[in-house]
Amino acid sequence: MKIASIWKKIRKNIAPTERSNQHAPSERKVYQILLLTNRDSDNVGDQVIEACDIALIKTVMKNLNIPSHDYKINSRAIGIVSPKYVATKNPALLNTAETAIKNTDIVFFGGAPVFNYQYQIFYEQTSVTLEIAQKYNKPVIFSAIGVEGYDENNKKCQRLKKNLNFDCVKQITTRDDFESLKKFKQNENMLIDKVSDPAVFTSKVFEGFKATPKANKKRTVGIFVLRSNGFTDNKIDFSRDEAAALWKSLAADLTEKGYNYEFLTSGHFGDEAFLDYLIREHGINIKKCVFNINSPEILIRKISSYDAVISCRLHPSIISFALDVPSVGIVWNSKVNGFYESIGYGDRIIDINGITSTKIIEKVESAIEQGINKDIDYLASVYNAMFYGFQKILRPEHSEFLPYSYEELLQNIPPYSGTTAGEQGEKLKRKFRRIYSTYNELFEKNMQYRKADKAASGSATKYCVQKTPDKKFCKILLLTNRDSDNVGDQVIEACDIALIKTVMKNLGSENYELNSRAASIVPQKYIATKDPALLKTAEDAIKNTDIVFLCGASMFNYQYQSSYERISVTLEIAQKYNKPIIFSVFDAEGYDENNKKCQRLKTALNFDCVKQITTRDDSNSPKEFKPNKDLLTDKVSDPAVFASEVFEEYRKTKQSKKKVGIFVLRSNGFKDNKIDFSRDDAARLWKSLATGLAEKGYDYEFLTSGHFGDEAFLDYLIREHGIAPNKCAFNINSPEALIGKISSYDAVVSCRLHPSIISFALNVPSIGIVWNSKVNGFYNVIGYEDRILDANNITADKIIEKVETAIASGIEKDEDYLTSVYRAMFDGFKKIVSPDQNELIPYTYAELIENIPSYPGTPRNEQSEKLRRKSRRTYEKYNELFGKNMLYKEEIRELKAALKQLQEDNPNTTK
């Protein structure tokens, strides 16, 4: 029986005054409600559903006269039955689900694709959840779920059907394919219906997060794109490049029509990867693209700011409808049709067959002109069904209770309180782990395809000091690797800024501006195209500065990076405008007389504009690069040796149990540096180390300094080698977070260099795993060359032995070594800023510590920008692997076809 018809009949015969529930008794029982949604999805539409479900459940409970202190909503992910259990059937992996279901009064599935069986495993997770609910006799309600269709001959579909008809299942409602839902039903006592999506109440639930209307603004259209294989996975013949061509054409046509537009996603990492692909490969203006839609508030604010929406994903369409923003749906799945038909706007969808930007714009303009009308009965249907389901389970004896009218519902539904910082951090961790999982899958496939193929054949940050009239105003352009997702580089930038400020104070100069930019101020695209227009940003920045200070980045790298070319071009611009250059603490990758890239760099380094070069490791390289007699060179400490002072307030206290932080390196990190140590060799080493440390009584934590490739490997350790997730730390995305982690350890084991340097600064003993000569260089110069291990003969026992020795010995520091980087910086700046003031001398170590300023913290907008850059780098690598895999698949297909033809032409040939 349909739920809507029940309520229509009752409402007709009862006057509104008779529907008051105020007189009903309240029982003193604390009800436990287990809400299962797709809340851990990085598709933020699912998080909007969760918020609306919670708001509606709270309203239902109030409607049933059950006060808030008499119930608890336990909101969990639909993946409470984990994919790992689905793959292994290990009963121990069901403990969490068993406990949660056993201790609840209602299991409520809200809005997740729990029936999906065609190319997802939701059907199995749902089936197992129902088996547990049946075992413990716990009532189950499915609310506004997506139905993927029904297939009598599909074993997965029939597996789901069997469990959906358990006695524990009391109600199923869908927002789209009701005809298919009817085919799933055999249990006569189970109520089914077609209802609205809970997100139709977005406007009310998220009222406090809607954008403020702008007067006389240019009409703006939000365009929500879909991941590369989104259409083909749904058996629609519409490729990645066809989609890209459509969006590029749409952008041009909207501009011609006088509209503003933005390309964006509802947060799904695959969609964001495709958005990045549009920018890099199809020339879509990055300023017209929005990344980091990582919370429901941001999504609501964006959609409510548009005049219309064009969307492939369903939930931007539903949310747009809720916010009275007309939308046009691009059909990639039948649920898109289902929604638009339900709201009476079936004419606002477009099928991919024959789609053009002109057709889309026609529908957009028509939708804007017509606006949106809403059917209150349709909107309230999801609430009415929820009310009836809860009433039947929690208040079966109170049949006089009736659901709120639509007006009463709006009056009583509670608003969303906002995403907490902790929740936001957890959401980002889940999102990045999904990215890494997919990246690792592509990496693995890529390696397999390569074998098969072979066998077959800036943004800127300015730090300004008060101008004083008696001194010449000095502009300093600081270039570091600040936009790297390796947070060690961000620690270097912070320490550089602190040291430069100290130098300027030491020189008696308070009249300066410090402009911190990425060393990639000469963009990668210029290196590839040599288009002079792409140098404008670099030209303007260098032309308008007094000193160019390059520090700490891998600027001289030429063996498998393009840093050397960027630096060479930067130096050519500086030479053109006669701007002095200081290189501070660069990585020396070695010198090769016969390498053209190396010699290209050498020529540029000997321009007259280059005044000083210092290095922290290979002291011979500067001499080999330098025939210019006036060029100052030296070997100095890394600026991060002052991390303890600069980041003093972000240090954490240590635990009572000794703990070791283990910094891992990306899958191909060793091999790229010509070390025969594979991904699986590394995985086995780390697993053995974890076991060995635990046996010795140590706590431990695997982590990275933020590099996405390292984090992808960390995810691989969890998924493929059984490292416990609670022993792994993700989201080291700010220098504060890195300092906090390292300072909490008793020792560090690290492949990356900067965790070793920062550990040294924080008086935490460290062991370096050698993958690059700069690791040896640092440990040698600080006097702890016995604390490194070569990857060729490394074992967990050797690491633990060195860790224990290092903890026992502690750390001693040479103040002369520590201040060497500061003295060199002082000399370089003095020669340019105050060449005639011979009486000025650098601070002593004690004076330096007294005067060096502390780090003020990463502002929220900078943190967001760092995450955007990290995401885009991840998506770039993801798209590269995706593209390579597609090519490999095509090559293998062609080779197989050729082999088959050869065998047909020569039947006597052996295979």
Side-chain angles (χ1 to χ4, degrees), residues 256-298:
E256 194 175 318
K257 286 261 189 181
Y259 291 91
N260 192 11
Y261 64 89
E262 277 184 333
F263 287 100
L264 72 165
T265 79
S266 50
H268 189 281
F269 83 86
D271 299 353
E272 289 201 332
F274 177 67
L275 187 57
D276 189 76
Y277 173 76
L278 288 177
I279 295 166
R280 295 183 192 275
E281 303 299 329
H282 289 269
I284 295 294
N285 185 348
I286 189 171
K287 292 178 181 177
K288 296 290 188 181
C289 298
V290 181
F291 290 87
N292 284 0
I293 306 294
N294 293 324
S295 74
E297 301 98 302
I298 298 173

Side-chain angles (χ1 to χ4, degrees), residues 158-175:
Q158 296 308 304
R159 156 94 165 119
L160 180 64
K161 178 179 180 176
K162 176 188 171 187
N163 289 13
L164 286 172
N165 285 281
F166 285 160
D167 291 336
C168 65
V169 180
K170 306 302 181 185
Q171 183 189 94
I172 305 177
T173 61
T174 180
R175 67 185 173 205

Side-chain angles (χ1 to χ4, degrees), residues 440-456:
N440 284 324
E441 284 174 17
L442 282 173
F443 180 92
E444 189 63 40
K445 285 179 183 175
N446 188 268
M447 298 299 287
Q448 291 170 3
Y449 285 144
R450 286 167 68 179
K451 289 176 183 175
D453 190 44
K454 187 177 179 181

Side-chain angles (χ1 to χ4, degrees), residues 6 24 149 245 253 264 290 329 376 395 512 527 569 611 625 634 666 694 725 878 889-890:
I6 295 173
D253 290 348
L264 72 165
V290 181
I376 288 175
R395 289 283 195 256
Y512 66 91
I527 305 300
V569 174
K611 305 303 181 184
F625 275 109
D634 204 355
R666 61 189 172 85
Y878 170 91
K889 285 169 78 173
E890 182 60 23

Side-chain angles (χ1 to χ4, degrees), residues 83-106:
K84 198 161 187 180
Y85 170 78
V86 175
T88 66
K89 303 300 181 188
N90 178 359
L93 297 171
L94 282 185
N95 287 343
T96 300
E98 288 249 1
T99 302
I101 295 169
K102 182 169 62 174
N103 295 323
T104 198
D105 294 294
I106 299 177

Side-chain angles (χ1 to χ4, degrees), residues 133 154 195 356 365 503 539 659 743:
N154 186 296
V195 298
T356 64
E365 293 185 319
V503 163
E539 289 250 359
K659 189 172 185 179
S743 60

